[in-house]
Amino acid sequence: MGSRKKQMADAIKEAKKHVAFAKLNNCPTSPRKMRLVADLVRGEKVENALNILKFNQKEASGRLEKLLLSAIANWQAKNEDADVESAELFVKEIKVDSGSMLKRLRPAPQGRAHRIRKRSNHVTLVVGANNNTQA
């Protein structure tokens, strides 16, 4: 590997050290309902986001709370020497994409049938640390 390539790889590796992510695939909730809760925590500090999710009454908030705890644990595994409280972690990015659809038939009047689409989604949550406290 050339010297410039190695320097660039080291720089990318150092930048990724302050970021951790967690994914939730095929969650049986519609993406629209999940986005309502995801918008509440986007850009928030981790402590505030956990409080918001804990006291929100929507079903999606329980799933996102578990996902956020997983992302924090992933960040902690990357940075064993750093402290979570002093790192000032925040929700850098949260993305909700639609997943596969289960198609079901519901009986309708006069011998017809209506299609019911049971939607699912994929959630990607990225947690980042403030770099100015790390340096």
Side-chain angles (χ1 to χ4, degrees):
M1 186 184 293
S3 64
R4 281 188 303 166
K5 202 172 187 181
K6 176 126 176 76
Q7 288 172 350
M8 197 62 183
D10 290 339
I12 291 171
K13 193 173 183 181
E14 189 61 37
K16 284 187 178 181
K17 192 167 186 162
H18 301 295
V19 174
F21 72 96
K23 289 177 94 172
L24 174 64
N25 285 332
N26 295 321
C27 178
T29 310
S30 73
R32 187 175 181 177
K33 291 177 184 175
M34 187 65 86
R35 279 189 200 107
L36 284 173
V37 181
D39 290 341
L40 293 174
V41 297
R42 184 175 286 120
E44 291 283 334
K45 289 189 176 181
V46 167
E47 296 85 16
N48 293 346
L50 283 172
N51 285 333
I52 290 169
L53 293 174
K54 188 175 189 93
F55 295 111
N56 196 340
Q57 293 180 348
K58 296 192 179 287
E59 182 193 348
S61 64
R63 297 173 199 262
L64 279 183
E65 182 184 7
K66 194 171 178 182
L67 186 68
L68 180 57
L69 290 171
S70 175
I72 294 167
N74 291 344
W75 185 88
Q76 219 166 6
K78 269 188 179 180
N79 305 292
E80 286 121 7
D81 53 333
D83 186 29
V84 175
E85 286 81 26
S86 65
E88 293 184 21
L89 293 178
F90 67 101
V91 179
K92 191 170 187 175
E93 181 184 338
I94 185 165
K95 195 166 51 172
V96 180
D97 300 321
S98 63
S100 59
M101 249 184 280
L102 295 174
K103 294 184 173 123
R104 300 288 180 257
L105 292 176
R106 164 104 359 124
Q110 298 181 351
R112 295 190 190 102
H114 291 301
R115 181 171 283 163
I116 302 293
R117 294 178 305 221
K118 296 191 173 192
R119 299 174 187 271
S120 67
N121 63 51
H122 307 310
V123 184
T124 307
L125 194 142
V126 179
V127 171
N130 283 342
N131 291 339
N132 54 9
T133 56
Q134 293 285 326

